Amino acid sequence: MTDTAQDTAIRLDITVDVSRERAFTVFTEQFDHIKPHEQNLLEAEIEETVFERRVGGSVYDRGVDGSVCRWGEVLAFDPPRRLVIGWRINPQWQIETDPSRMSEVEVAFTEQGPDRTRVDLVHRHLERHGDDWESIRGAVGSEQGWPTYLRRYVELIAAR
């Protein structure tokens, strides 16, 4: 996995030994197993993380008590090539309601062979979060951020 932080973006890439279609499907249909449940804004324990597989859909956590936290919005969904999520969490780790202050997470799937896919994750436009946007960059770029998600994704693919 490579990792570079450039100004207002975090860039990561990995390669998985499955077809592009399978790589995309596992990422979007199994997102509940990729996102650590302890990373949430709910007061309740997370029952599941849902990724609605369509433009305009949400990415949200549902608590065991039925509470819901919609922390992402699906801005692009182009199977099996790419997806873009609007990141609706501000530097105070609260839900951002102003769409102009959301950053974006793009995940692109590039075929490297019949059973090999490069996955590029870019969390960009972090500056849109305003003051203290660097704290988000630090958090999502840290080992507990996107690198953990990608590591769990690789483990999930290897186990299937």
Side-chain angles (χ1 to χ4, degrees):
M1 179 176 1
T2 60
D3 170 10
T4 59
Q6 286 188 329
D7 298 335
T8 63
I10 296 294
R11 300 176 192 285
L12 300 163
D13 67 82
I14 57 167
T15 301
V16 291
D17 291 326
V18 295
S19 69
R20 180 168 68 166
E21 291 78 9
R22 180 78 180 135
F24 187 92
T25 298
V26 169
F27 193 91
T28 57
E29 290 184 1
Q30 303 285 323
F31 196 73
D32 180 54
H33 299 290
I34 296 168
K35 180 187 176 288
H37 283 193
E38 61 273 8
Q39 293 182 3
N40 74 83
L41 302 178
L42 293 173
E43 292 192 19
E45 182 180 331
I46 291 182
E47 180 176 323
E48 68 176 335
T49 298
V50 176
F51 185 109
E52 295 179 336
R53 296 170 36 104
R54 60 181 166 74
V55 172
S58 294
V59 183
Y60 62 92
D61 297 325
R62 182 188 344 267
V64 294
D65 63 354
S67 58
V68 171
C69 177
R70 294 183 189 284
W71 57 267
E73 178 182 339
V74 181
L75 304 175
F77 193 78
D78 182 19
R81 293 169 206 48
R82 68 188 272 272
L83 60 95
V84 179
I85 302 167
W87 177 269
R88 298 182 56 196
I89 302 172
N90 69 25
Q92 293 73 43
W93 298 99
Q94 298 172 341
I95 295 300
E96 178 59 66
T97 58
D98 181 350
S100 71
R101 295 180 63 87
M102 290 190 300
S103 54
E104 297 176 355
V105 179
E106 179 171 4
V107 185
F109 300 82
T110 305
E111 188 174 66
Q112 301 284 297
D115 289 315
R116 193 159 174 84
T117 304
R118 178 180 161 135
V119 180
D120 292 284
L121 185 147
V122 179
H123 193 152
R124 62 184 178 227
H125 304 305
L126 292 163
E127 78 285 358
R128 290 180 181 170
H129 291 289
D131 293 341
D132 205 24
W133 65 268
E134 294 96 339
S135 68
I136 292 179
R137 181 181 65 190
V140 300
S142 76
E143 272 308 305
Q144 292 75 39
W146 290 120
T148 290
Y149 285 60
L150 292 179
R151 189 171 36 261
R152 290 170 60 108
Y153 171 64
V154 168
E155 290 168 0
L156 185 62
I157 284 182
R160 305 266 177 206

